[in-house]
Amino acid sequence: MANDTQHTTPAWHRLAQPGDHLRALWGRNVDRTRWAACGRTWDAVAISPMALGLQALVAMRVGPRRGYPVLADHLRDQLYVLVPPGTGSAAAGLPGVRVLGAGFQILMPTTEHGTLVAHWVSPPGSASSPLVHPDRLAHHLRALTAAAGREAAAS
């Protein structure tokens, strides 16, 4: 039965859920993070709650294996999706979304496992890893929040 659940749960959601082993590693406090400037090689689109961002990635049909850099902050329940520099404004103004461009910084893992506040859901595959297309991300976030609003109004 657990195997069926694993195949029906989207990959992004599975990757974003830290298991007991990872939580134990974080508890040992051996992994580190560093501040990284936004706006140079990428902007970050911060999405809260994290589930909204994960659903948008699933709806976009971008797979985590391609190396799209996506970070999770489990403490704040935020997902950080990296997009090309100067383009994050496509998602500005959406509920639960903050765009972090030039002048902002985010925490990045410096070790394999990261930390509770900076965990790679999908680490970059290489120096030329693809970045998520911000217009598509904004489109799917807009559709998901509109659908959630309609569901809330109907109940």
Side-chain angles (χ1 to χ4, degrees):
M1 188 78 145
N3 211 9
D4 290 342
T5 302
Q6 186 175 22
H7 290 294
T8 59
T9 304
W12 285 107
H13 293 277
R14 285 194 313 273
L15 292 170
Q17 294 305 312
D20 293 338
H21 177 71
L22 186 55
R23 288 184 185 279
L25 288 171
W26 291 344
R28 291 192 353 229
N29 201 27
V30 295
D31 292 300
R32 300 284 178 247
T33 57
R34 68 173 169 80
W35 288 105
C38 302
R40 291 184 187 148
T41 55
W42 41 261
D43 284 353
V45 177
I47 306 164
S48 183
M50 188 183 315
L52 175 62
L54 295 169
Q55 278 303 109
L57 292 171
V58 170
M60 290 175 65
R61 297 177 188 239
V62 294
R65 292 183 185 192
R66 289 229 22 236
Y68 290 99
V70 175
L71 286 160
D73 178 340
H74 295 283
L75 188 63
R76 292 176 189 83
D77 191 27
Q78 286 190 341
L79 193 71
Y80 294 92
V81 178
L82 302 189
V83 300
T87 65
S89 61
L94 294 172
V97 173
R98 288 183 311 130
V99 177
L100 307 173
F104 289 92
Q105 296 183 0
I106 62 171
L107 284 175
M108 290 273 191
T110 59
T111 54
E112 178 184 355
H113 305 293
T115 65
L116 180 66
V117 296
H119 165 238
W120 282 118
V121 175
S122 174
S126 66
S128 62
S129 289
L131 297 173
V132 171
H133 193 283
D135 292 333
R136 289 188 59 218
L137 177 63
H139 167 78
H140 288 283
L141 287 169
R142 203 173 285 110
L144 289 165
T145 54
R150 285 191 300 272
E151 288 176 12
S155 47

